[in-house]
Amino acid sequence: ISLFFSVPTAYKKILSYLETRSRVEQEEFKKKMQEHIRLFISGSSAMPVPILEAFEAKSGKKLLERWGMTEIGMGLSQSYFEPEKRIPGTVGLPLPTVEVKLRSSSSSSDGEQQQDQEKETTNSTSNNDLLVRSGSMFSRYWGKEHKTIDAFIEDPETPGKFWFDTGDSVRRILDEENALLRRPLLHPCG
């Protein structure tokens, strides 16, 4: 194994298991991880920083955080090539073929007001709905026309183009480059 992909909850479970092992076994785990695992990747949502730091201490490896979902595949990622630029608890920037847009979580159904709110929140540090567009994204929910209609929002600036409402909430952090993802329907690391 040279790559290990998982989610924050699984990393927490690994840490819990390691806490039941002797110090010698924990050191052996760290040695084996450094010898055999090139990269640990956490997806689904941003990992809580205490878990991330504890796992890095136990494995001796800097974790790569990413975000994606079945409907779009991988969408956001921290830098693989520049680990020093990874900010704990964030899932990074859109991948090259992915466009993202932030919409105020309190947007109304009035298109004009919503369009104004989208512009205002793009560089906000408040929580916003994550909208995504990509050539690799799915086009519809099979046999669920109503769900498809609810999930896609026409782009007011480009008629005929649509954004997919991921149902996730994000906020940009101070450097304006990374997004911190919060997935409201999950109970991360529970």
Side-chain angles (χ1 to χ4, degrees):
I1 298 174
S2 64
L3 299 173
F4 183 84
F5 293 83
S6 199
V7 296
T9 302
Y11 283 102
K12 182 179 180 186
K13 296 289 185 190
I14 292 168
L15 286 171
S16 295
Y17 172 77
L18 287 172
E19 291 303 316
T20 68
R21 312 318 303 164
S22 71
R23 183 179 172 138
V24 171
E25 290 171 309
Q26 289 181 33
E27 288 300 320
E28 184 65 20
F29 171 83
K30 186 174 189 175
K31 180 181 175 200
K32 293 281 186 197
M33 296 306 100
Q34 291 175 335
E35 290 174 0
H36 299 290
I37 304 288
R38 182 169 47 95
L39 181 65
F40 283 100
I41 299 167
S42 178
S44 167
S45 64
M47 186 177 298
V49 175
I51 294 170
L52 177 108
E53 290 172 345
F55 190 82
E56 288 179 356
K58 295 284 186 192
S59 69
K61 293 286 189 172
K62 189 156 181 75
L63 230 122
L64 175 67
E65 293 185 80
R66 292 181 156 184
W67 172 87
M69 56 192 305
T70 302
E71 292 86 343
I72 68 160
M74 194 57 57
L76 304 172
S77 180
Q78 294 176 335
S79 174
Y80 170 74
F81 297 106
E82 299 175 288
E84 69 281 357
K85 289 190 174 184
R86 296 180 197 162
I87 298 172
T90 68
V91 291
L93 299 168
L95 292 169
T97 62
V98 178
E99 295 176 72
V100 299
K101 187 172 194 174
L102 303 184
R103 178 184 64 184
S104 170
S105 295
S106 61
S107 293
S108 76
S109 59
D110 174 15
E112 190 173 312
Q113 183 179 353
Q114 183 174 329
Q115 186 176 354
D116 289 343
Q117 287 177 333
E118 286 172 0
K119 289 178 184 174
E120 290 172 14
T121 61
T122 299
N123 293 316
S124 173
T125 57
S126 63
N127 286 332
N128 299 278
D129 298 330
L130 178 63
L131 307 179
V132 177
R133 181 164 58 199
S134 171
S136 63
M137 185 172 68
F138 82 131
S139 61
R140 67 185 176 280
Y141 288 103
W142 182 260
K144 297 182 179 181
E145 186 176 342
H146 188 317
K147 189 173 180 179
T148 300
I149 291 168
D150 289 345
F152 286 91
I153 301 160
E154 187 163 14
D155 186 342
E157 297 168 14
T158 315
K161 295 245 180 185
F162 293 85
W163 291 98
F164 173 64
D165 185 346
T166 65
D168 288 336
S169 180
V170 299
R171 71 176 171 87
R172 290 196 190 278
I173 60 171
L174 298 177
D175 72 359
E176 294 295 328
E177 292 184 3
N178 289 271
L180 174 62
L181 180 70
R182 180 175 60 92
R183 297 199 71 181
L185 299 177
L186 297 179
H187 301 286
C189 304

